[in-house]
Each structure stands twice: as structure tokens, then as C-alpha cells.
Amino acid sequence: MAVIKTEGLTYVYGEGTPFRKVAVDHIDLEIEEGEFVGIIGHTGSGKSTLIQHFNGLLKPTEGSVYIDGEKLWDDKAKLRPIRFKVGLVFQYPEYQLFEETVYKDIAFGPKNMGLDDDEIDRRIKETARMVGLKPEMLEKSPFDLSGGQKRRVAIAGVMAMNPKVLILDEPASGLDPKGRERILSMLKDYHKQTGNTVLLVSHSMEDIAKNAQKILVMNKAKLFCYDETVKVFHRSEELRQMGLSVPQITRVFDRLKAMGIGLDDDVYTVKYAAELVLSMLKRREG
Amino acid sequence: MSSFIEIRDLEFSYINEIEEPPVVTEVLKGVTLDINKGEFVAVLGHNGSGKSTLAKCINGINIPQKGSVSVDGMSVADENNLLDIRQKVGMVFQNPDNQIVATIVEEDVAFALENMGVDPKEIRRRVDEALKTVGMYEYRLHAPHKLSGGQKQRVAIAGIIAMRPDCILLDEPTAMLDPKGRAEVMKTIKELNENGVTIVLITHYMEEAVQADRVVVIDGGEIVLDNEPKKIFSQVNTLKNLGLDVPQVTELCHILRSEGVDLPDDVITEEECVEKLYELLG
């Protein structure tokens, strides 16, 4: 069963004013449980508006959203449990830290869920380990940490609620390459270990290529496509026209193909590119 | 002749005086760097390495605590020079939303010129020229908050070029932009440089650094590498140990070389990579 489903989802900002703007336009979508989905789209394409519907922060102007089979907004009292199912990490989440210690900050979400102290403790320790925070850091003030560490604390706070769906809006933006890599490999491990669905919004095609199984492409408030990573990056020309791109390595192999080099497959990661070239060289020798 | 930007044994620390005793965070530990007129220099380094602090020392937002910084022969330590220095060296920051002050694009671009007391006719001319340079002239009467990130960032750059600076410092100007916005800003930067403007670009994107004439790598408040891009990015392991990365094409060639494939170690652009792989596989 789809963990997230939308039917004709439409959202209009400033309805009835001269600033009326359709931000998402009749979106029909089904995301299966356990998937790692990359979300891409140009600035203003409707990505952020779309994901805010998934945990009921925005109410559709038209159409509906189902989480885990349950329709949102049918019964307002049901929104709270649904928000625990879908964890949303905003851009620059480190600005939302507020507690005295890292421990208390991560505990905030699980506490609101009404979990008992032992369970909260267990979850904090587990997520801290998952995001690579050493046990001694838990007693520090979150404001004494580096930017990358703060960001990991903020993400841990949402992970500790063990949401069925974890959505992150540009979790690596502004970080250096090592910090980026760290956040992304942490998300990959989280996905593997928990089996939870992960939705990652990013402007970095390279990061999406390395992690996502499927990609959701938004273009001018509409869903352009939702498909497997390799199939989406196959449409490089269309992506380019909508202000997006494909990974650098994909561009290189697209060009080699156009120059007449026979390649069986599309390339979108460096690792795969290396394997492909090596096997071609081997075949030639053999 | 001395260079345009001359940095000698520069040291800088942030001092938090609210704490008792004050907490001193040493950021720059003896930086010496010369940047000549017309150069395009990319500055790399992990978060907290001191890149932004260095940039702020160049146009006198930070005043050196030890050592010296001078721009076109004027020391930033002398307060009387600051206005002149800031007209020569403009700065563009990461978040376009924090840099736009007016409600109409052309008024925003005119802001600095009005402060400088430039003649209104001249302002009109320079604003139009600056907006044309960044490709935003047709948006001159638009409201900035309705523009895309890349467009806003180009308006911010126009506001700087209207002052006719000799040099522009850009601190991660593309970090918040989508691929198209990034490409637009990079194209603008390169065109400015071709027209003689000195560029200092701080970035985390290796594909951008590759386009510079020279790459300076900072680590722990010191310059650890300073060379042309090919000589920097061929040191794949050194860069990774510094918390940095290399372009995907460089990484691919590096992996293939380690498997014994005959490829050069200084492939840094898409074109070179296509060419070398074609020779290999074609």
C-alpha cells in the first residue's frame, strides 16, 4: 500500500487576491512504503508546498492527501497522530534548536508523543549513534557545537520520533563536501536500518543520484514525473530545459554515447562509471 | 610593483566578551596571500576553516589583529581608507534575501550609488548598464521578492558592479540556488572577470572552482595549497583529507588510474574527460 497518496492535490496561495498563485496543480501521486525518493525541481516549482501537505501543515485548496491509507483533514483531531508518522526536517533545521542540552533537544519530539522515559532514553541514544554524535556530546549545549553537528542534532530530533516517513528539505545545503557526505551516508544508513520511507529534497543531482531509488520531478507547480532514478536522468534534455541538470558524470557518458561509443546502460554514479569503463576495457582485451 | 590585494602574516580571532573570561576563537593564523588585478581566484576550505573571515578582512569588515592587509596600496587598518576600499572591493553574500533592501529591482541596484552621492543622471546610466551586464535589465521594474534565487543573486551582483569596483568577493553565492541559478551566476562572474574585474570566489562546489585561474585552499586558518586548478585537483587524496572533494570527472579518472588504466591525473573538466575516454574506448 502507498504510504503517501495524493489525488488532484492543488494548493493556491493568496486565493481571492491579486497575488493568487497556484503552487501545486492537480498532483496525483503514490509513494510506496520503504522507498528512498529524491525530490527535484527549480526554485518555485512547488517542492516545499508539496511536502508541507504530507504532514498536514498545509490544507489542500482542492484534492486530497492520504497518509498510510488515512485521509488527512477529514477529522482534524486525527492530524496529530499523522504528524507523528511523517517527520519533516526544514531547511537550516539547526536554527530550530532551543533546549539546554543536546539530549533534551532530541527528547522534545518523543516526549510530545507521550513515550515513557526509558523508551525516550533508548531512542535518543540510538539516534545519536545513528547520526554520529558521541555520547559525551549529549550533555553539551547544542549551541556549542559546529554547524554540521548542530544540523545532525536537529535531524536526530525528528528521527527519534521514528516516523514512517522522513522528509528532509535540502539537509546538506551550506555544508562542505565532507559534511554533505556525512549527512547523506547517515540518511542512507537510517533508511537501510529502519526501512522507513525517506524523501530528500535537493538541488544537487549528484547527491540525489548517489542515494535515491526513485526521483520525483516538480516543474511549474506540476508533477513532471515520478520514476526510477536511471529513467529520470535518462531525460537529461527535458531536465535541462526546466532549469535542472543531470550529474556531471551522466553528461560525460551521454556525450560519449552521442560520439558513437556503444554503452549498454545509462550512467549516473562515478562508481558505476568506473565499473563500466573497466569492463569495456577488459572485454576488448579478452 | 605591489599586488592589488596584499595580505601579510594576517592573524584574526573572534573574541566573545560576554563570557567571563572572554572566549577567544583563533581563526586566521598567519595568512600571506597576493592577488593581482584581473585574477580569478577560488577559495576552498571546509566549514570553519577561515574562508569567510579572510574575505571579510579584505574589505575591512574585519580589521587585522596582527599582520596587514592592503588593497591597491591602501591599508584596511586605516579607517580613512575604508570607504575607498569598499568601493574598490564589493562583496556578495550567500543568501540573496539578506542583501536586497529596496522594493524595486532598479532602486536596489541604485542604493550604493545614492549613498555615494553620484549624480542622478550618472546613476541612471550605471544602473542600466549593471542590470544589462547581469542580464536582469528587463526585470528592472519588478519586485525583488518575486524573482528566483539566481535572479536575486544577480541583482545583488548588479548592485555591486554599479559601484564599478575593481574586485568582487563572493562568499558562496550559489549555495542556495538551483542548478540553473548556479549556472547563471557563474556565467555572470566569468563575464565580469573577462572584462577585467578581479574575482575572489569562495565556494564548496568543485565544478565552480575548476573555472578559476587559481585555487587557494585554506585549512585551520592557514593557506595549505595555492596553485592552478589542474595542479590542485590532481591531488585527490590530499583534498579528501582536507574534507574537500574533486569534480566527478576527476574522481572517475583517479579510480581508473588506480586500476592501472592509462589516463592523466589532471582531468578536471567535462570536455577533457570526454576526450580522454573517447581515446580510450573509441
Side-chain angles (χ1 to χ4, degrees), chain B residues 2-16:
Chain B
S2 65
S3 44
F4 178 62
I5 296 170
E6 202 178 271
I7 303 172
R8 292 285 172 273
D9 307 312
L10 170 65
E11 289 180 29
F12 189 86
S13 303
Y14 290 104
I15 301 161
N16 181 351

Side-chain angles (χ1 to χ4, degrees), chain A residues 18-19 41-43 91-92 170 173-180 203-206 210 240 242-245 247-253 255-256 259-261 263 268-271 273-275 277-278 280-281 284, chain B residues 45-48 51 94 146 148-150 172 175-182 204-207 240-245 247-252 255-256 259 261 268-271 273-275 277-278 280-282:
Chain A
F19 305 108
H42 60 86
T43 318
Q91 240 185 79
Y92 296 91
E170 292 260 18
S173 99
L175 297 182
D176 58 38
K178 201 174 179 180
R180 280 190 98 81
H203 281 321
S204 164
M205 303 302 139
E206 286 78 8
K210 256 192 263 175
R240 205 183 53 77
M242 62 180 81
L244 297 171
S245 64
Q248 186 183 46
I249 204 74
T250 308
R251 289 198 296 272
V252 168
F253 282 83
R255 280 168 67 174
L256 285 170
M259 289 162 83
I261 304 260
L263 297 165
Y268 59 95
T269 63
V270 173
K271 207 175 139 221
E275 284 167 16
V277 172
L278 288 173
M280 285 175 81
L281 289 173
R284 188 154 315 176
Chain B
H46 61 77
N47 291 112
K51 306 179 300 290
Q94 186 183 113
K146 297 227 156 165
S148 75
E172 293 190 46
M176 301 178 92
L177 308 183
D178 60 20
K180 187 172 172 220
R182 283 208 298 265
H204 282 321
Y205 290 107
M206 304 302 141
E207 287 79 10
K240 294 219 162 169
N241 287 336
L242 291 167
L244 300 173
D245 208 349
Q248 285 196 321
V249 293
T250 314
E251 169 128 43
L252 174 65
I255 297 174
L256 291 173
E259 294 286 336
V261 179
I268 59 172
T269 66
E270 226 172 289
E271 285 69 31
C273 185
V274 169
E275 190 188 314
L277 287 178
Y278 188 73
L280 201 65
L281 302 169

Side-chain angles (χ1 to χ4, degrees), chain A residues 212-215 226-234 268:
Chain A
Q213 300 159 327
K214 290 181 99 176
I215 302 182
Y226 175 53
D227 210 341
E228 286 163 40
T229 302
V230 70
K231 290 191 180 141
V232 173
F233 284 141
H234 187 68
Y268 59 95

Side-chain angles (χ1 to χ4, degrees), chain B residues 71-204:
Chain B
V71 173
D72 211 4
M74 297 180 291
S75 163
V76 298
D78 183 348
E79 213 176 300
N80 296 322
N81 289 336
L82 283 185
L83 274 182
D84 287 333
I85 287 175
R86 288 185 187 145
Q87 284 174 29
K88 282 186 188 286
V89 181
M91 190 146 176
V92 175
F93 297 93
Q94 186 183 113
N95 189 345
D97 288 322
N98 294 349
Q99 305 172 72
I100 287 176
V101 292
T103 51
I104 295 172
V105 165
E106 63 175 17
E107 286 182 8
D108 193 81
V109 176
F111 181 74
L113 300 181
E114 284 172 343
N115 282 342
M116 285 160 65
V118 176
D119 176 70
K121 272 193 199 133
E122 174 69 9
I123 291 185
R124 178 78 259 167
R125 229 169 51 76
R126 285 212 213 169
V127 167
D128 288 349
E129 189 187 280
L131 282 169
K132 280 177 191 161
T133 308
V134 300
M136 288 297 292
Y137 182 68
E138 56 204 288
Y139 291 88
R140 64 194 180 279
L141 298 176
H142 284 231
H145 69 274
K146 297 227 156 165
L147 303 177
S148 75
Q151 290 172 330
K152 279 189 250 189
Q153 200 60 300
R154 283 186 287 149
V155 170
I157 295 175
I160 301 292
I161 38 186
M163 293 195 295
R164 303 247 169 96
D166 296 316
C167 172
I168 304 183
L169 307 170
L170 303 106
D171 193 353
E172 293 190 46
T174 62
M176 301 178 92
L177 308 183
D178 60 20
K180 187 172 172 220
R182 283 208 298 265
E184 288 167 358
V185 169
M186 279 310 291
K187 183 168 167 268
T188 304
I189 292 173
K190 277 169 75 178
E191 282 168 4
L192 287 171
N193 182 246
E194 276 156 24
N195 290 320
V197 179
T198 310
I199 300 285
V200 179
L201 171 69
I202 297 176
T203 183
H204 282 321

Side-chain angles (χ1 to χ4, degrees), chain A residues 99-120:
Chain A
E99 272 286 10
E100 279 165 40
T101 66
V102 169
Y103 186 96
K104 284 187 186 168
D105 215 292
I106 301 177
F108 183 74
K111 229 179 211 166
N112 276 333
M113 294 172 76
L115 300 175
D116 63 59
D117 287 351
D118 286 347
E119 176 63 12
I120 293 175

